[in-house]
Amino acid sequence: MPNVYIGADHGGFAVKEKIKQHLEDRGYTVTDCGAIALTPDDDYPEFAVAVAQKIAQDPYGRGILLCRSGVGMTIAANKIAGVRAATLHNPEEAAHARSHDDINVAAFPADYLSEAQLFEVLGIFLVTPFSGEERHTRRLQQISEIERR
């Protein structure tokens, strides 16, 4: 099981707390990268970068980000080299993003997914392996080259 790093701003805080418990109950090691308390005027980049930096140091880990739309978190996390973050809305996106793009951070839109939907998509994100197909590996190598420039 991969280590899981989780972060959320005020828009995803309540869901983050439920996800943490859900994952710990299933045997995952979860590191909470904040917010530690509900603060209505906090800013998502702080938490996105905290999770992304953990993933950059733990290439086998998985990151989970939550805010209202998931988009801002995705943008911020992708600024860290080695992070491949995507906003996920459904099981098909999660399976595709893991198997083709080897994403290591999933951002979830707390305003647009029910708890049941979120847990379903999260489960797929955590267990779907990267396909390792040559074309996908080649593309990820191209992205790594862009990061080195």
Side-chain angles (χ1 to χ4, degrees):
M1 269 185 212
N3 294 320
V4 176
Y5 305 93
I6 190 168
D9 69 357
H10 59 278
F13 182 80
V15 178
K16 175 182 69 89
E17 296 301 306
K18 291 178 183 179
I19 290 173
K20 266 189 349 188
Q21 189 62 55
H22 175 82
L23 293 176
E24 289 170 349
D25 289 348
R26 282 151 184 78
Y28 285 91
T29 301
V30 180
T31 301
D32 190 335
C33 298
I36 302 304
L38 179 59
T39 306
D41 62 347
D42 62 9
D43 297 316
Y44 65 82
E46 171 186 357
F47 310 114
V49 169
V51 168
Q53 288 174 331
K54 293 286 189 185
I55 293 300
Q57 297 167 2
D58 181 359
Y60 299 105
R62 295 284 181 269
I64 300 168
L65 298 170
L66 296 122
C67 66
R68 295 209 181 279
S69 72
V71 175
M73 288 281 202
T74 299
I75 292 168
N78 277 322
K79 300 299 180 190
I80 306 301
V83 171
R84 294 174 304 282
T87 306
L88 300 177
H89 299 90
N90 59 59
E92 295 79 15
E93 280 181 331
H96 185 275
R98 279 290 308 133
S99 67
H100 290 215
D101 302 308
D102 198 20
I103 68 164
N104 49 19
V105 174
F108 294 101
D111 283 358
Y112 304 114
L113 294 177
S114 70
E115 188 175 306
Q117 289 170 318
L118 196 146
F119 285 160
E120 179 184 14
V121 177
L122 172 63
I124 292 168
F125 165 69
L126 290 173
V127 302
T128 302
F130 174 54
S131 72
E133 291 179 30
E134 188 277 329
R135 65 188 171 123
H136 301 308
T137 300
R138 181 181 70 243
R139 292 166 186 161
L140 292 176
Q141 289 169 346
Q142 291 169 5
I143 291 169
S144 293
E145 179 58 35
I146 292 166
E147 288 177 336
R148 285 191 288 275
R149 292 184 200 160

